Amino acid sequence: QVHVVESGGGLVQPGGSLRLSCAASGRPPSDSLWAWFRQTPGKEREFVSALRWNGGTQNYADSVKGRFTMSRDNAKNTLYLQMNTLEPEDTAVYYCATRSRAIVYGRWRDAAVYDYWGQGTQVTVSS
């Protein structure tokens, strides 16, 4: 069982930045997959970004590419999402998700492949 807890959400003006954190309950397996999704009321959960804990390729939704960056801190068992140049359309509840076993790159954007989810953190972009 893996527990993940997100933090770092809040209210920010358009053009501003936020950094979300996702703390894992233990050391993530090196092959584990980690992702950020977001959701607004009445809509399905939307893929934001994903990476493997042992590094390498990252995957970003087109809507955030060039503005958002994922990283992780092995010493702290923590995943980050640095969000820059935020837009009102980025307003959502952001969720951290993880899968302990590797899976093909083509499925990284599928919410159904992730086994563990955090409770979410609200990000509001508004003037």
Side-chain angles (χ1 to χ4, degrees), residues 4 18 21-22 46 48 52 56-57 59 71 76 78 83-84 99 103 115-117 119 122 124 126:
V4 294
L18 279 176
S21 300
C22 172
E46 175 191 18
V48 175
R52 283 193 302 213
T57 303
N59 191 342
S71 62
K76 296 182 178 180
T78 300
M83 305 186 295
N84 298 327
R99 172 187 172 86
I103 196 167
D115 303 312
Y116 305 103
W117 293 80
Q119 81 290 347
Q122 176 71 47
T124 302
S126 175

Side-chain angles (χ1 to χ4, degrees), residues 40-93:
T40 54
K43 293 189 177 181
E44 291 189 359
R45 203 161 287 190
E46 175 191 18
F47 171 81
V48 175
S49 60
L51 57 71
R52 283 193 302 213
W53 193 261
N54 61 5
T57 303
Q58 298 187 12
N59 191 342
Y60 292 90
D62 289 344
S63 58
V64 306
K65 200 172 294 183
R67 300 188 298 122
F68 291 11
T69 304
M70 287 183 78
S71 62
R72 78 261 187 268
D73 186 325
N74 285 320
K76 296 182 178 180
N77 298 333
T78 300
L79 178 76
Y80 300 101
L81 182 68
Q82 178 65 44
M83 305 186 295
N84 298 327
T85 321
L86 283 161
E87 303 167 352
E89 293 74 23
D90 295 316
T91 296
V93 177

Side-chain angles (χ1 to χ4, degrees), residues 102-113:
I103 196 167
V104 294
Y105 179 81
R107 296 204 61 194
W108 286 17
R109 299 188 175 201
D110 184 355
V113 310

